[in-house]
Amino acid sequence: MPRVADHDQRRRQVADAVRRLIAVGGLEAVTVARTAAEAGISVGLVQHYFRTKDDMLLFTYRQVMADIDARLADLIERREQAGTRIEHVVLDGIAETMPLDPRRREEWRVALAFAGRAVDEPRLAAARAQRLEDLRGRLAEAIDNGKECGEVPPGLDARAAAVRLAAYAEGLTHHMFADPEHVPPSAALAALADHLATIFTGHCRLHDRAPGERPPPDAGDDAD
Amino acid sequence: MPRVADHDQRRRQVADAVRRLIAVGGLEAVTVARTAAEAGISVGLVQHYFRTKDDMLLFTYRQVMADIDARLADLIERREQAGTRIEHVVLDGIAETMPLDPRRREEWRVALAFAGRAVDEPRLAAARAQRLEDLRGRLAEAIDNGKECGEVPPGLDARAAAVRLAAYAEGLTHHMFADPEHVPPSAALAALADHLATIFTGHCRLHDRAPGERPPPDAGDDAD
DNA sequence: TCAATAACCGTATGGTCGTACGGTTTTCCT
DNA sequence: AGGAAAACCGTACGACCATACGGTTATTGA
């Protein structure tokens, strides 16, 4: 019966305002009043959609990560449909999350600010931990796919390799972000490419064979 | 003529109080009043030694890093005097900076909180960047020493290897810190050890010879 | 049409913070 | 001894903040 509004859209509107404020002045610059002004609404309305400021920040953090993931999923799907080698999909995917242009650099500013506050905010810490684990899981899947495909040696521990790869990417990004002069993007990407080459040592049987041809039976799939 | 006090000691006393406050409640918990209380002095005295709160925080950040570096230098010197392989010195050195026990975990809480605020505090960002570059420089030196010693192949780019190693350690630490359950210390250390094994591929000629024996003349030292 | 109800606004409030400032104490040099 | 100067204290102040709250507006279903 009453007036209705798109809750999700409003919450995103507020979260976007928070994101912009952080990008300019860090988490310190985020106040409820400023957020309302930046979002073009009143303080009261912000309160209507977020019970507390911490709720607002948590939602914003999740939103930022979800946006990155959505972009990532998009890129991966496009690459996979194009039949790109898994190794290259992984490299491009990781590169997509790195601060290689002003937009993504801003994204990292925001993420870093939240990571810093996660130290004393358990809910932020949990969100961060979950995202990192999710990322490791995705990478492990990709490496497993690489096994089926023949790019990755079957004996390799996909989970361990994924953990290492995720950590390597994270660390390279931190160094690159803090000091792009001494750790240029080219160096970080080269390091990642070299590391990936130690995981994806083979070439993909599935993509390289002629159309209609059956894969060689050494993959262990007991057909029939 | 006037009353004198140990400035350095007082400033460290304040910085220690700040460190404790951050360890418990993050940077949010740090106020000038609380810091004074934690340090057992008055607000006025804190102001006497630090013009602004930001100055106080910057000093504290530097202090935290300096403490770690001092501990590190100590460990390295002991290991080197014991004639340990450079590869192991490097591994132990990196492990020393990792949050492997509550004390070092607290250290990382503090460091992470500062890293987060470095996003909007240029002075903190500069301090962080300088420290990371310093770390990369030390690692490059160690790898160069490994070359002279025979542990590292002479053709290897020490600087590039140092950048990668530093980033790898940083990333492993972040993942381990955020989610020790899924990235246990053992996994992080194993990853580091494996990575070091790809750099330090040889054994040290200098340490393996009999006492008093002269090193082989291929080191380039033109003794007379 | 009309009440019911959510969307939305603006301000009031209680508290906290960083910093300024005037006063007090202690020590050292002459 | 005595005064100069720094070490040190406690409070006051202006600003800002998160949240509470009462009032207003718009829309919907009956």
Side-chain angles (χ1 to χ4, degrees):
Chain A
M1 320 157 180
R3 188 177 179 180
V4 297
D6 187 334
H7 276 233
D8 275 349
Q9 188 264 333
R10 273 280 190 243
R11 287 158 80 93
R12 290 174 69 100
Q13 177 185 355
V14 173
D16 278 351
V18 172
R19 195 180 42 68
R20 284 195 298 273
L21 287 176
I22 296 177
V24 170
L27 261 171
E28 299 304 287
V30 179
T31 72
V32 176
R34 250 200 289 269
T35 301
E38 176 74 27
I41 60 178
S42 70
V43 175
L45 196 54
V46 172
Q47 293 178 289
H48 189 259
Y49 288 104
F50 297 102
R51 213 174 51 79
T52 67
K53 183 189 179 186
D54 277 348
D55 285 348
M56 182 179 84
L57 292 178
L58 177 61
F59 180 87
T60 302
Y61 189 28
R62 285 208 246 253
Q63 187 69 35
V64 168
M65 299 190 297
D67 283 353
I68 297 173
D69 285 345
R71 217 173 60 226
L72 209 54
D74 217 52
L75 178 139
I76 290 171
E77 199 190 2
R78 272 187 286 116
R79 284 284 196 285
E80 277 181 349
Q81 283 189 351
T84 312
R85 267 175 65 94
I86 296 178
E87 177 181 358
H88 295 149
V89 175
V90 170
L91 179 56
D92 288 353
I94 294 177
E96 179 68 29
T97 71
M98 286 181 135
L100 295 169
D101 58 30
R103 169 156 176 270
R104 281 176 283 175
R105 193 171 167 81
E106 179 189 301
E107 232 168 41
W108 260 92
R109 284 173 64 88
V110 176
L112 262 181
F114 276 117
R117 175 156 304 192
V119 162
D120 54 294
E121 266 289 321
R123 289 191 300 171
L124 290 180
R128 174 168 156 82
Q130 190 187 330
R131 175 183 162 68
L132 290 181
E133 172 60 17
D134 193 56
L135 227 135
R136 292 189 294 262
R138 284 161 182 252
L139 287 176
E141 271 184 45
I143 293 171
D144 265 330
N145 287 345
K147 281 186 193 173
E148 291 180 15
C149 181
E151 290 185 45
V152 176
L156 190 136
D157 182 342
R159 165 72 192 181
V163 168
R164 293 171 181 208
L165 178 55
Y168 203 6
E170 177 91 12
L172 285 166
T173 300
H174 274 269
H175 278 256
M176 189 175 109
F177 183 89
D179 199 344
E181 190 140 352
H182 291 106
V183 185
S186 57
L189 291 175
L192 269 179
D194 286 353
H195 185 82
L196 282 173
T198 69
I199 299 175
F200 295 86
T201 52
H203 67 286
C204 184
R205 293 189 316 276
L206 274 54
H207 291 155
D208 289 351
R209 68 197 143 83
E213 190 182 347
R214 284 185 63 86
D218 67 12
D221 46 346
D222 44 351
D224 178 88
Chain B
M1 317 156 179
R3 187 178 181 180
V4 298
D6 187 334
H7 276 232
D8 276 349
Q9 190 264 333
R10 273 281 190 241
R11 288 159 77 94
R12 291 174 68 101
Q13 176 184 355
V14 174
D16 278 351
V18 171
R19 195 179 42 68
R20 283 194 299 274
L21 288 176
I22 296 177
V24 171
L27 262 170
E28 299 303 288
V30 180
T31 72
V32 176
R34 251 200 288 269
T35 301
E38 176 74 26
I41 60 179
S42 69
V43 175
L45 196 54
V46 173
Q47 292 180 286
H48 190 258
Y49 287 104
F50 298 102
R51 213 173 49 78
T52 67
K53 184 190 179 186
D54 277 348
D55 285 349
M56 182 180 84
L57 292 178
L58 178 60
F59 181 88
T60 302
Y61 189 29
R62 285 208 247 253
Q63 187 70 34
V64 169
M65 298 190 297
D67 284 352
I68 297 174
D69 285 345
R71 218 173 59 227
L72 209 54
D74 218 51
L75 178 140
I76 290 171
E77 198 190 3
R78 272 188 285 118
R79 284 285 194 289
E80 277 180 349
Q81 283 188 352
T84 311
R85 265 174 67 91
I86 296 178
E87 178 181 358
H88 295 149
V89 176
V90 170
L91 179 56
D92 289 352
I94 293 177
E96 179 68 31
T97 70
M98 285 181 136
L100 295 170
D101 58 29
R103 170 156 175 271
R104 282 175 283 175
R105 194 169 167 82
E106 177 187 301
E107 231 168 42
W108 260 91
R109 283 172 65 87
V110 176
L112 261 183
F114 276 118
R117 177 156 304 193
V119 161
D120 56 292
E121 267 288 321
R123 290 192 300 172
L124 291 180
R128 173 169 157 80
Q130 190 187 329
R131 175 182 161 67
L132 291 180
E133 172 60 18
D134 193 57
L135 226 135
R136 291 188 295 261
R138 284 162 183 251
L139 286 175
E141 272 183 45
I143 293 171
D144 265 330
N145 287 345
K147 280 187 192 173
E148 291 179 16
C149 182
E151 289 185 46
V152 176
L156 189 135
D157 181 343
R159 165 72 192 182
V163 168
R164 294 172 179 205
L165 178 55
Y168 203 6
E170 177 91 12
L172 285 166
T173 300
H174 274 269
H175 277 257
M176 188 176 108
F177 182 90
D179 200 343
E181 189 139 352
H182 291 105
V183 185
S186 57
L189 290 176
L192 270 179
D194 286 352
H195 185 82
L196 282 174
T198 69
I199 300 174
F200 295 87
T201 52
H203 68 285
C204 184
R205 293 189 317 274
L206 275 57
H207 290 153
D208 288 351
R209 65 196 144 82
E213 188 182 344
R214 287 184 60 85
D218 67 11
D221 45 349
D222 45 352
D224 173 280

